[in-house]
Amino acid sequence: NVVSATENTLLISDTKLLRNQTNTFSLINPQGDDVSATATFYVDGNAIPGNQYVSASVGTHEIYATYDLAGTLQTTPTQSFEIFIPKRKVVIEDYTGAWCGWCPRAIVAVQAAHDATDDIAVVAIHETSFTFPDPMHFDDIQILKDAFNVNGNPAVRLNRTTTWIDPDYPLTSVTNTAGEETDIAIAIKSQLTGNSLTVDVKAISETGLAMDDKLVVYLLEDSILYDQVNYYNTDPTSPFFNLGNPIPNFEHNEVLRLSLSQVLGDTVTETSSLEEYNSTYTAMIPAEYNADNLTLVAMIVSADNTARNAQTAHVGEDKEYE
């Protein structure tokens, strides 16, 4: 982050940090020289020793610097940075099919979760049946079904490894942990140039990343219109009552299109606490995908494939740590 002073420029290394993560401040003169040693830095109005700041005080903090210029005390414009505690996004993975007449039940549960909280990351994993095709079929679905003991549809998993119980799908299974404080944060930045997609994922943790943690990165598509078989067409208690069987041009959202990582995740480099981990992925996007409706889900999972935390972002969005 850069803000120009009258003569010198104040730089801060991070605008968003975890508790006890070091923020470094620098003062740069017009010639590009680092003159931090001649400055005094103030955080929240208090002078700090040197040019580094560490705190567990959550919230927004202000930083400015003073320095001498030809015998006159100069003050840089004030900047701000945030110290935060990461929030958990619950991963909801819905194993489904456009041919599956019972699957609208799970779709209702997922929508209820959306209505209740923004702190979720939803992935709809479609499968073709022996009898009926599904154009949204995910080629590597069997790897996921084998890993997470999925048999039949609908089947919903929370944080990859916990079964969301059918038929009730209790909402509290999601809301009890969605948005809770956790120890790991994920950021996503992506760019689509023509059909070429580049995705940068960052992760940082107060406890670090283990050598058997993995990073999963999925590309999803929203607003795909395709008929959905509906066994609830005659059920007056269902939101899908009298919508038809099948429901014509049903809108399918959060459909898993591509796995940019290995489908169960790529092993991360062991990273110490408060050290940032970075990984970049590239992919060519098929022309039939609607670029305006593409989103990303990234999750850090532990050795047993349980999601530690997740992040979502639209393609082209710079989604910072939350």
Side-chain angles (χ1 to χ4, degrees), residues 230-250:
N230 174 31
Y231 293 165
Y232 299 93
N233 186 53
T234 58
D235 180 355
T237 67
S238 170
F240 300 106
F241 175 60
N242 270 349
L243 294 186
N245 184 23
I247 303 171
N249 288 321
F250 185 83

Side-chain angles (χ1 to χ4, degrees), residues 93 144 148 157-162 216 218 263 299 305:
E93 291 177 298
L144 295 171
F148 302 114
R157 298 292 183 266
L158 303 179
N159 294 326
R160 312 224 83 182
T161 54
T162 299
V216 178
Y218 288 160
V263 70
M299 53 185 120
N305 288 316

Side-chain angles (χ1 to χ4, degrees), residues 72-290:
T72 301
L73 186 67
Q74 302 287 327
T75 302
T76 69
T78 299
Q79 298 187 56
S80 63
F81 62 93
E82 180 185 357
I83 297 174
F84 76 107
I85 302 174
K87 295 193 303 180
R88 179 180 301 283
K89 284 190 186 294
V90 174
V91 178
I92 303 176
E93 291 177 298
D94 178 17
Y95 292 83
T96 188
W99 50 269
C100 170
W102 300 118
C103 287
R105 180 198 295 271
I107 294 171
V108 170
V110 170
Q111 185 56 54
H114 270 302
D115 293 341
T117 178
D118 292 329
D119 294 315
I120 56 175
V122 176
V123 181
I125 308 166
H126 281 250
E127 180 178 23
T128 288
S129 75
F130 291 112
T131 309
F132 300 99
D134 187 327
M136 297 162 284
H137 174 81
F138 179 62
D139 288 343
D140 288 329
I141 189 171
Q142 194 60 49
I143 297 174
L144 295 171
K145 291 176 68 176
D146 291 344
F148 302 114
N149 193 29
V150 172
N151 296 292
N153 301 84
V156 186
R157 298 292 183 266
L158 303 179
N159 294 326
R160 312 224 83 182
T161 54
T162 299
T163 300
W164 200 10
I165 302 299
D166 179 38
D168 297 325
Y169 298 115
L171 189 57
T172 53
S173 296
V174 175
T175 57
N176 281 350
T177 56
E180 72 177 2
E181 294 182 359
T182 186
D183 67 340
I184 187 168
I186 303 170
I188 304 173
K189 183 178 182 179
S190 62
Q191 181 175 353
L192 184 61
T193 304
N195 286 348
S196 178
L197 175 65
T198 301
V199 180
D200 296 310
V201 180
K202 300 187 298 183
I204 192 166
S205 171
E206 293 182 340
T207 58
L209 302 180
M211 61 187 305
D212 50 6
D213 283 340
K214 292 172 288 188
L215 172 62
V216 178
V217 183
Y218 288 160
L219 178 72
L220 316 180
E221 186 175 358
D222 291 327
S223 302
I224 301 174
L225 301 181
Y226 191 78
D227 292 359
Q228 172 67 51
V229 176
N230 174 31
Y231 293 165
Y232 299 93
N233 186 53
T234 58
D235 180 355
T237 67
S238 170
F240 300 106
F241 175 60
N242 270 349
L243 294 186
N245 184 23
I247 303 171
N249 288 321
F250 185 83
E251 183 177 298
H252 298 270
N253 292 310
E254 297 149 331
V255 174
L256 177 55
R257 286 302 209 178
L258 295 174
S259 181
L260 304 186
S261 62
Q262 296 183 70
V263 70
L264 293 177
D266 296 329
T267 301
V268 304
T269 303
E270 186 172 8
T271 306
S272 61
S273 62
L274 305 178
E275 180 182 349
E276 196 168 70
Y277 174 80
N278 297 271
S279 188
T280 298
Y281 293 90
T282 59
M284 295 303 296
I285 304 304
E288 63 267 25
Y289 294 2
N290 187 330

